[in-house]
Amino acid sequence: EMGADRRMSGSSSAKSSKEDTAKGKQASGRPSAPKGSDKENRRPANSAIRIRIEDSPISATTRQLESLRVSVPDSPTSELEKYFKSLSGVSSVEDRASASIADYADSVMRSLHNSSECYKPRLQMLVDSQPAADRRETLDWLVQAFGVMHFSDVALFDAALVLDRHSACTLPGPISSHISQRSLLAAVCLSLKLGSREDAQLPLRQVVEHLGRSRIPFLEVLNAEVALLHKLGFCVGTPTANCFLEALSLRIPKYDARFGSLASFLLQLSLVEPHLHYGYPHCVLAAATLAIGLSVTDAPAGAYGILREDLALCGSNVEDSLMSCCLDVHALWVRAAGRQDAEIMGFYDHLSTKFAQPAYHNASYLKPPMPLSLAGLFGPSRK
């Protein structure tokens, strides 16, 4: 009897404990467990927010767009695209990374050309904005300073383009030397920020103060950089002529190291003539310097075909002005090498000193041919 009383007491206390627990849960706002089997009660945690995808407005819009899609025939694979795809199996990490853009190589060339034409400075506005002697002096300083600091040619072209775009946006009139120096250092500072890590071996403040000989406070240079960015609409890092020089020379066989250095020498020489440097599309200008380099170094016949194939990827009709551009670049080279133009001799001498170094394969020692033969590029009938 005592055992039966204990069991009855235990069961009643357990029942009262469960009732108290249920009351406690209801008092705390927690819902009590629903009745039913385990299968009925087992529901996903996110079932409350689940919707039928096929009935959503987004899905209806997607189906509508799919019904309007028109099949576009694939364009033939270019040789440049094949070149990048061939890099996928090489051992170099950099080359394998380049292979990732194989499917976009053609559109990248067109995009570079369109962007370059869009953001090039207006030629007449550039010419009217400042005296030609001041611009030549600035370019001369850039070539010397970047050579001493061992900055890349990429940074050189970036700085020159930023300065020319900024000048074309500036109203004509006298500018104090202090303001022009601040703008120059601001363009250099910006080009180094946009460039590769190879150009950023030293702290930027130290570089700028060294180039300015500690005469212009670094804070003033940064303020000038902000003003420059505002004037350019914060559109910087736009394609330069050097971008096309690198792109168009990718597939050309490395039969002679001098041809690339000579093309780079002529392209930098064109900076001193704004009508030449900005009068032609940058892709055409780069192709012209490469064509002259191929001609001077006796390139194999196939190299010219590669150059024209890749240039055609930039857009229709870009080749129409290639011959006249080749002749204009050659004429500038003849005039400078023959010391026929006193105004550009200072720039030419410093540029020749730079490209006389072994790193540039002594390219400035090469002399302009008379006459220039373009038979490999345009055929025997057009020399």
Side-chain angles (χ1 to χ4, degrees):
E1 290 178 356
M2 292 179 62
D5 291 338
R6 289 193 190 97
R7 286 194 298 271
M8 291 177 62
S9 176
S11 62
S12 61
S13 62
K15 183 177 181 180
S16 63
S17 176
K18 290 180 180 179
E19 291 177 353
D20 292 340
T21 303
K23 290 180 181 179
K25 289 182 178 180
Q26 292 177 358
S28 61
R30 297 178 184 175
S32 58
K35 295 181 180 180
S37 63
D38 290 341
K39 292 184 178 180
E40 293 176 349
N41 295 336
R42 192 180 299 124
R43 301 176 62 190
N46 61 348
S47 61
I49 60 173
R50 181 174 295 172
I51 61 174
R52 295 184 64 186
I53 300 298
E54 61 271 14
D55 295 335
S56 67
I58 297 177
S59 179
T61 304
T62 304
R63 289 196 300 271
Q64 185 178 5
L65 292 175
E66 289 288 344
S67 65
L68 296 175
R69 178 175 293 177
V70 179
S71 59
V72 179
D74 294 335
S75 58
T77 304
S78 69
E79 294 300 323
L80 184 62
E81 181 179 339
K82 293 178 182 177
Y83 167 78
F84 279 114
K85 286 183 177 179
S86 69
L87 300 178
S88 59
V90 300
S91 58
S92 171
V93 176
E94 291 80 6
D95 288 342
R96 290 203 304 274
S98 299
S100 62
I101 69 169
D103 295 334
Y104 313 100
D106 299 358
S107 59
V108 165
M109 293 295 288
R110 288 191 296 271
S111 178
L112 282 175
H113 170 62
N114 294 335
S115 180
S116 173
E117 289 298 290
C118 177
Y119 291 107
K120 274 198 318 183
R122 299 283 184 88
L123 180 58
Q124 194 58 47
M125 296 176 67
L126 173 62
V127 173
D128 295 340
S129 65
Q130 59 180 327
D134 291 350
R135 183 176 177 276
R136 286 194 297 267
E137 183 180 354
T138 299
L139 290 172
D140 194 12
W141 182 88
L142 282 175
V143 168
Q144 294 183 75
F146 278 45
V148 171
M149 300 298 295
H150 300 288
F151 295 150
S152 66
D153 291 339
V154 174
L156 173 65
F157 277 92
D158 281 337
L161 180 58
V162 165
L163 283 171
D164 283 340
R165 289 179 61 205
H166 178 260
S167 297
C169 297
T170 305
L171 294 175
I175 302 177
S176 67
S177 60
H178 185 73
I179 294 178
S180 62
Q181 289 174 8
R182 284 194 313 171
S183 299
L184 174 57
L185 291 176
V188 172
C189 185
L190 185 59
S191 68
L192 294 178
K193 291 178 180 178
L194 296 172
S196 64
R197 293 183 178 180
E198 297 176 359
D199 295 326
Q201 300 296 326
L202 296 173
L204 192 58
R205 181 177 191 137
Q206 182 180 343
V207 171
V208 171
E209 289 180 346
H210 173 74
L211 293 175
R213 299 181 180 179
S214 301
R215 295 176 182 174
I216 301 178
F218 184 63
L219 183 59
E220 289 189 15
V221 175
L222 295 182
N223 290 334
E225 182 183 359
V226 173
L228 186 149
L229 286 169
H230 275 285
K231 186 163 286 189
L232 298 181
F234 290 87
C235 293
V236 293
T238 57
T240 66
N242 190 70
C243 295
F244 293 98
L245 183 74
E246 294 179 346
L248 293 173
S249 60
L250 278 175
R251 292 201 305 121
I252 297 178
K254 304 301 184 285
Y255 68 95
D256 191 330
R258 296 177 301 167
F259 97 89
S261 295
L262 177 59
S264 182
F265 171 69
L266 295 176
L267 191 63
Q268 292 186 37
L269 180 61
S270 73
L271 285 168
V272 80
E273 286 285 353
H275 288 89
L276 174 59
H277 194 75
Y278 296 112
Y280 291 97
H282 277 163
C283 60
V284 174
L285 180 63
T289 60
L290 285 168
I292 295 175
L294 293 174
S295 176
V296 172
T297 55
D298 299 323
Y304 294 96
I306 292 173
L307 177 59
R308 294 192 65 171
E309 286 175 3
D310 292 351
L311 176 61
L313 297 176
C314 294
S316 58
N317 303 324
V318 293
E319 295 182 79
D320 294 349
S321 57
L322 180 56
M323 171 169 274
S324 61
C325 187
C326 288
L327 297 176
D328 288 345
V329 172
H330 179 257
L332 173 62
W333 187 18
V334 171
R335 199 167 75 245
R339 313 192 73 81
Q340 302 171 12
D341 192 342
E343 293 181 345
I344 66 173
M345 290 320 302
F347 178 78
Y348 176 77
D349 289 341
H350 289 128
L351 194 64
S352 297
T353 301
K354 170 184 175 179
F355 279 87
Q357 301 174 16
Y360 291 97
H361 309 100
N362 312 113
S364 59
Y365 290 153
L366 295 170
K367 300 301 180 184
M370 296 295 294
L372 174 66
S373 174
L374 298 175
L377 190 61
F378 297 104
S381 60
R382 302 177 70 180
K383 294 185 179 181

